[in-house]
Amino acid sequence: MSSATVRSRRPAVPGRYEVVEADLTSDAGWAEAMKGVRYVLHVASPMSGSADLVGPAREGTLRVLRFAVEAGVERVVMTSSCAAATPPEGSTGSFDETVWTDPSGVGIDEYRRSKLLAEQAAWEFMRHKDTSLVTVLPGAVFGPIQTRANMGSVRVIERILGGMPGVPRIGLNIVDVRDAADLHVRAMTAPDAAGERFIAVSEFMWMADVARSLDAPSRELPNFVVRAASLVAKDMRPLVPMLGRGYSYTHAKASSMLGWAPRPARDTVVECAASLRQRAS
């Protein structure tokens, strides 16, 4: 989420769930919200629009865990990110959950650092607690959208559909939002998942391949063009450290332990684009 405040809309199906409001930067409301709760899925973390991403991500996570433990919650599933499992600069090949991002590494931006430090703090806090912890590490989350607000990764698809003159040579480790949700539920209920990290990625695709899947212009921009453009276009600066990154992730652990079977990345991309077009009308 782009805000430290967790908000939900009125239930679409009356009586199915209760809606409360809480803030990752305040203790108010959390004790009441945790009463009678068996499982907690902690999915909210700031992505942009804040000068400080690390503080709300780390302290907010610790706040959720503290109140969950005090309430006797059985398990917390925390949404981390592949940003917390970034291999060293220049790496190629496929990586798994044993990788941890080096916070001092080249090109490690504030978002990656916030996800890393929040997850590390979570594991440290939950040592020797009765409540179990599981973390799920999604890649670039695409798929059908419910709203055009706070779209996160989906802005990549939106920009491609908008007619970019060319696409940067950036690789994406893609997961469908529906598959990410499914993995969270599996991690929540499977006894053997306690104390584990799970990569949530289907497949790797270059942005040019994503564009071709959408019948959009797919000419790759030379890296030096993107670097030059980033000097004047602030929104392109986060792309520079990602240029040429060709590593992927394996979801073998989630598949073998939890029976997780994500859909092909191309299907996710195409359905995401269809959803964006529908929401634009």
Side-chain angles (χ1 to χ4, degrees):
M1 295 181 66
S2 62
S3 170
T5 303
V6 185
R7 294 188 177 91
S8 297
R9 294 177 296 174
R10 185 180 300 277
V13 182
R16 292 289 298 276
Y17 53 90
E18 179 184 358
V19 178
V20 299
E21 182 172 320
D23 191 313
L24 291 176
T25 63
S26 170
D27 287 349
W30 285 105
E32 185 66 26
M34 294 287 183
K35 285 183 178 179
V37 171
R38 182 178 182 184
Y39 301 116
V40 169
L41 302 183
H42 174 43
V43 301
S45 187
M47 291 185 63
S48 61
S50 171
D52 176 23
L53 299 183
V54 174
R58 183 181 182 280
E59 301 309 318
T61 294
L62 292 175
R63 178 168 283 106
V64 171
L65 294 176
R66 175 163 53 85
F67 281 102
V69 169
E70 290 176 359
V73 167
E74 182 176 320
R75 175 172 296 174
V76 176
V77 179
M78 172 189 172
T79 308
S80 183
S81 169
C82 283
T86 303
E89 183 74 11
S91 295
T92 58
S94 183
F95 296 87
D96 62 16
E97 295 85 354
T98 61
V99 175
W100 286 88
T101 302
D102 178 358
S104 62
V106 177
I108 303 303
D109 58 26
E110 195 71 356
Y111 175 71
R112 288 177 184 272
R113 189 173 289 107
S114 73
K115 297 302 291 188
L116 169 69
L117 297 180
E119 188 184 351
Q120 287 180 330
W123 285 116
E124 179 62 27
F125 178 83
M126 295 296 282
R127 291 176 62 189
H128 311 304
K129 298 290 194 300
D130 291 334
T131 299
S132 63
L133 175 66
V134 184
T135 58
V136 175
L137 287 67
V141 181
F142 299 138
I145 63 171
Q146 298 296 318
T147 173
R148 280 182 164 267
N150 300 323
M151 290 195 297
S153 302
V154 174
R155 293 199 181 279
V156 173
I157 306 298
E158 183 182 49
R159 290 184 177 183
I160 291 174
L161 294 176
M164 298 172 64
V167 294
R169 184 169 173 73
I170 290 177
L172 301 170
N173 286 283
I174 295 171
V175 65
D176 193 288
V177 64
R178 294 162 292 187
D179 295 329
D182 175 56
L183 182 53
H184 278 73
V185 174
R186 291 170 184 266
M188 180 179 72
T189 57
D192 292 344
E196 301 288 350
R197 301 175 97 198
F198 292 99
I199 293 286
V201 165
S202 171
E203 296 174 284
F204 173 92
M205 293 181 74
W206 291 105
M207 279 188 67
D209 294 327
V210 172
R212 279 189 282 271
S213 297
L214 302 177
D215 296 321
S218 58
R219 180 176 67 90
E220 280 194 339
L221 296 172
N223 290 348
F224 77 87
V225 171
V226 178
R227 289 191 178 97
S230 71
L231 298 177
V232 294
K234 291 183 178 179
D235 62 338
M236 295 190 69
R237 291 174 189 171
L239 301 180
V240 174
M242 302 170 64
L243 292 172
R245 283 182 176 172
Y247 59 82
S248 61
Y249 292 97
T250 174
H251 60 258
K253 181 178 177 180
S255 295
S256 63
M257 286 187 64
L258 303 179
W260 189 60
R263 69 203 73 203
R266 186 185 183 281
D267 293 352
T268 293
V269 165
V270 170
E271 291 182 38
C272 182
S275 178
L276 278 168
R277 292 188 179 106
Q278 182 181 20
R279 292 288 173 178
S281 59

